[in-house]
Amino acid sequence: MSESDEGVAEAEGTEDTLGGRDSASEDIDIATDALLDTLPQPAFIIDTQHRVIGWNREMEVLTGIDRGEVLGDDDTAKFFRDERTRTLANAVVDHPDSADEEFGADRSGRDQRAYEVEQEMENQDGDLLYVHSVATPIYQSGSPQGVIQLVQDNTEIIRRREAMGDLVEEAADTAQALEDGSLDARVEYTDSRDLLDEDVLALTDAINAIAESTQTMVGGLVDEVEELSDAAGDIAEEAIMIDEKVTEQNDSIRSVNEEMQNLSATMEEVAATSDQVDSAAARVERVAEAGKESGERAQEEMDAVVEVTDELVTTVEQLEQRMSAIDEVIEVIAEVADQTNMLALNANIEAARAGEAGEGFAVVADEVKSLAEETKTNAEEISNLVAELQEQTSETVETTETTTEQVRSASSEITDLLDALDEVVVASQEAAEGIAEVSDANDDQAASVEEITSTSEQVAGWADDIEDRIGEITEETAEQRDAIDDMVDHLNELTAKSRIDREDDSVAAATDRVDEASTD
């Protein structure tokens, strides 16, 4: 036995095994771990001090924790990654007779000494597991020695049950939707964890097949009935329209006869009017020719104006250049006046130095200075006048250029007018030719009148035939309506029978699959 097993032994020193029997009286010596490893499900044992003394291989697989890591540890709850602070086995150690009240467990076993509970825990991969635990106290000679807890992993069973519930709920919702008239409703369920058998999942395909068949059949019936109804309505409408057309044709025939008489008189008027139009066209042609000649003369005059205007622009530009030269001369005169003024000032200065001997020279210098200032003033006035003249000359150039452009534009418009007059002349000639053709067409129309009159008589005969045909169509319409009513009754019977047969077969098959799934 291991050291943990020896800790369970009685103080008398007798070596005990599981089951409450005295090993001294029997030749049985089985280690705790060896015995637990024979169990097909996870199991572990704790002693009265809550220390783990047994941990089988299935527990290692379930929790992912090796036996060596847990033996001797007195906190088993941490190995289960459970929200609880202790395991069922711990509760049974502390309360072997009332663990159901302390832990919320249920009693089980023949003598009601065992306890069981449903729990949720995480495995080593972090997946949520649903386990069923059964904890049974171990007694030796009437004294508690520890607790063994068996753990059953019911995760797959619980998930299968939940998956089955989801499938049944989805199927019920789809059936209700179909019953409420939503023929496009389908069972949409995916067994992402492969929990359900293929036979159970076939229920989805069966229900969807029924829904698809029903929708197709009802849609087809509706389409057929609508088409037949539309066809019958169209036939009735066509019969009414034909009757209206016959009435309109009879009225038209009478109108045509009247129009033929009016047409004959109108053709005579057209012939007389054609002569008048021909004369008018000739006059228009002559006027157009005269207008063309006047336009050509006007264009020649405009060309002469353009030439004179161009010469005027050239002359004004030359004048503007000469004004610039005058301005330059005036600037030279102003500069000479300034220099003369400076010389006169210097002469006064020298006369002052000479005293009385320079008085006469000073008078002359003052006169020269006065003349220089007057010359400068006159030069500035001339310069201003030249500047104004240059500005006016520039305006004259711009105005002349604008006038030239307008004259050229007018010349271009006259050219366009001449082109238009050419077209008028051509159109007048074509009109005269067209009038001649109209006159010839009048003769052809006279012959056509006789043919139309003959045709009108034929149309009258056809109208009588159409009236007879309307009677036949009306009778055929009534027969078609009767045939449609018979077909609708037949389709209703077929639809009702197909729905009942399919529902009976589908319900029976679905019931069998659900029973098989529940049994599994």
Side-chain angles (χ1 to χ4, degrees):
M1 296 179 62
S2 64
E3 293 179 0
S4 299
D5 293 330
E6 292 176 356
V8 182
E10 291 257 299
E12 292 81 8
T14 59
E15 187 177 30
D16 297 321
T17 58
L18 300 179
R21 291 173 294 188
D22 189 349
S23 62
S25 62
E26 299 181 25
D27 295 332
I28 299 177
D29 185 9
I30 303 175
T32 300
D33 291 336
L35 181 60
L36 290 178
D37 286 341
T38 62
L39 297 177
Q41 64 189 87
F44 67 94
I45 299 175
I46 62 174
D47 61 14
T48 56
Q49 302 301 318
H50 297 280
R51 293 174 300 187
V52 179
I53 61 174
W55 191 271
N56 70 352
R57 292 191 182 90
E58 294 298 327
M59 281 299 298
E60 293 180 338
V61 174
L62 178 65
T63 63
I65 302 175
D66 294 336
R67 178 184 302 163
E69 298 180 24
V70 301
L71 291 179
D73 199 314
D74 61 358
D75 185 11
T76 55
K78 65 182 180 182
F79 301 118
F80 281 84
R81 306 180 183 89
D82 190 8
E83 294 180 354
R84 302 175 187 266
T85 58
R86 58 180 181 167
T87 63
L88 178 60
N90 294 126
V92 174
V93 168
D94 293 336
H95 306 280
D97 297 325
S98 60
D100 54 334
E101 299 176 0
E102 299 293 333
F103 198 78
D106 297 325
R107 288 182 176 271
S108 64
R110 288 177 297 176
D111 55 1
Q112 296 293 299
R113 296 178 60 182
Y115 300 91
E116 61 182 26
V117 69
E118 300 287 343
Q119 292 178 283
E120 296 180 358
M121 60 171 288
E122 291 184 0
N123 62 9
Q124 58 180 340
D125 297 325
D127 297 329
L128 182 64
L129 303 179
Y130 301 92
V131 298
H132 178 76
S133 298
V134 179
T136 305
I138 302 173
Y139 288 91
Q140 177 81 26
S141 300
S143 175
Q145 303 298 311
V147 175
I148 179 172
Q149 180 170 330
L150 304 178
V151 181
Q152 177 66 42
D153 185 2
N154 292 334
T155 302
E156 184 174 355
I157 296 174
I158 297 298
R159 288 177 178 171
R160 281 171 58 87
R161 187 186 305 161
E162 292 176 350
M164 179 63 72
D166 293 340
L167 176 58
V168 172
E169 182 180 359
E170 176 66 18
D173 292 342
T174 302
Q176 184 63 44
L178 292 171
E179 183 178 353
D180 293 340
S182 298
L183 298 180
D184 57 346
R186 299 292 185 271
V187 178
E188 297 180 357
Y189 179 81
T190 302
D191 186 17
S192 59
R193 297 184 177 180
D194 295 331
L195 298 173
L196 302 179
D197 297 334
E198 293 183 359
D199 292 339
V200 176
L201 293 175
L203 176 64
T204 301
D205 297 334
I207 295 175
N208 288 340
I210 294 172
E212 185 70 26
S213 177
T214 301
Q215 184 179 17
T216 301
M217 181 175 62
V218 172
L221 292 174
V222 171
D223 293 340
E224 291 295 334
V225 171
E226 289 180 350
E227 290 178 2
L228 291 173
S229 178
D230 293 341
D234 292 342
I235 293 174
E237 292 177 0
E238 289 295 333
I240 296 173
M241 291 177 62
I242 291 174
D243 184 45
E244 294 175 352
K245 290 297 182 183
V246 169
T247 302
E248 292 176 0
Q249 285 180 351
N250 290 332
D251 294 340
S252 298
I253 290 172
R254 288 190 293 270
S255 298
V256 167
N257 289 329
E258 294 176 358
E259 290 297 331
M260 290 299 100
Q261 297 175 359
N262 294 333
L263 179 60
S264 178
T266 301
M267 290 174 60
E268 293 179 358
E269 295 177 359
V270 169
T273 304
S274 297
D275 295 337
Q276 297 176 359
V277 172
D278 188 19
S279 300
R283 289 196 297 273
V284 169
E285 184 177 3
R286 289 193 296 272
V287 170
E289 291 287 351
K292 181 179 178 181
E293 293 176 357
S294 298
E296 290 176 349
R297 289 194 296 273
Q299 189 175 26
E300 292 176 356
E301 294 296 331
M302 282 295 179
D303 292 340
V305 171
V306 169
E307 292 179 0
V308 172
T309 304
D310 291 338
E311 293 177 358
L312 176 61
V313 170
T314 301
T315 302
V316 173
E317 289 177 348
Q318 292 175 354
L319 177 62
E320 185 176 15
Q321 293 175 357
R322 292 176 181 176
M323 289 294 178
S324 297
I326 292 173
D327 189 42
E328 292 176 357
V329 172
I330 292 173
E331 289 180 357
V332 172
I333 294 172
E335 291 178 357
V336 171
D338 290 337
Q339 292 177 359
T340 303
N341 194 10
M342 290 296 295
L343 291 174
L345 181 61
N346 291 331
N348 284 329
I349 293 172
E350 293 297 329
R353 289 178 180 176
E356 295 179 358
E359 290 180 357
F361 187 71
V363 172
V364 174
D366 289 336
E367 290 295 331
V368 172
K369 180 180 180 182
S370 178
L371 291 173
E373 290 177 351
E374 184 177 356
T375 301
K376 182 178 180 181
T377 300
N378 293 332
E380 289 178 352
E381 291 177 356
I382 295 171
S383 178
N384 293 332
L385 292 174
V386 170
E388 292 178 0
L389 185 58
Q390 285 179 331
E391 183 178 356
Q392 293 176 357
T393 303
S394 298
E395 293 177 356
T396 302
V397 171
E398 292 177 359
T399 303
T400 305
E401 291 177 349
T402 301
T403 303
T404 301
E405 291 297 328
Q406 292 176 348
V407 170
R408 289 174 179 172
S409 176
S411 178
S412 177
E413 292 179 358
I414 291 174
T415 300
D416 295 338
L417 177 60
L418 291 175
D419 294 337
L421 288 174
D422 288 336
E423 294 179 358
V424 170
V425 172
V426 173
S428 299
Q429 294 174 349
E430 293 177 352
E433 295 175 357
I435 291 171
E437 294 177 357
V438 169
S439 179
D440 295 336
N442 285 335
D443 297 335
D444 296 336
Q445 287 179 351
S448 298
V449 168
E450 296 180 358
E451 296 180 0
I452 292 173
T453 303
S454 177
T455 302
S456 298
E457 295 176 354
Q458 294 179 356
V459 170
W462 293 341
D464 295 336
D465 295 338
I466 291 174
E467 288 180 349
D468 296 337
R469 182 55 182 163
I470 289 176
E472 297 176 0
I473 292 175
T474 303
E475 294 177 358
E476 293 176 358
T477 301
E479 294 176 357
Q480 288 180 350
R481 286 181 177 175
D482 294 337
I484 291 172
D485 292 337
D486 295 339
M487 184 178 296
V488 171
D489 294 337
H490 177 70
L491 291 175
N492 288 333
E493 294 176 0
L494 178 62
T495 303
K497 182 178 182 303
S498 299
R499 182 172 62 251
I500 293 173
D501 292 342
R502 289 177 180 272
E503 289 179 350
D504 291 342
D505 295 342
S506 300
V507 170
T511 302
D512 293 341
R513 293 190 181 97
V514 172
D515 291 341
E516 293 175 2
S518 300
T519 302
D520 294 340

